[in-house]
Amino acid sequence: MEWANEYGSTHPVVADPNTAYTLEFIYASPTFDGYIYYPNMQLLSPGRVIEIADGWVSEGNILSVLP
């Protein structure tokens, strides 16, 4: 919460204690360019399909993948 407040984040922020597991999905994404920037956002749709890897996730992006 402190980090989100410091940087004015208005979207949910979560910690990933198992980063290696998450990175497996990012590396497998055809949109991954080989670089990871911090902070970063990923959008996973149902079934853990990566829709956006290390990019900007808008409300419209989220709504478009909701069942």
Side-chain angles (χ1 to χ4, degrees), residues 34-53:
Y35 297 96
I36 296 178
Y37 306 95
Y38 295 101
N40 61 58
M41 289 188 257
Q42 282 63 244
L43 176 61
L44 283 75
S45 59
R48 291 192 275 186
V49 175
I50 295 178
E51 302 294 338
I52 297 175

Side-chain angles (χ1 to χ4, degrees), residues 16-61:
D16 181 6
N18 192 0
T19 303
Y21 180 75
T22 303
L23 290 176
E24 289 177 28
F25 290 98
I26 296 170
Y27 291 144
S29 171
T31 61
F32 180 61
D33 68 0
Y35 297 96
I36 296 178
Y37 306 95
Y38 295 101
N40 61 58
M41 289 188 257
Q42 282 63 244
L43 176 61
L44 283 75
S45 59
R48 291 192 275 186
V49 175
I50 295 178
E51 302 294 338
I52 297 175
D54 195 26
W56 177 254
V57 178
S58 70
E59 181 179 0
N61 298 131

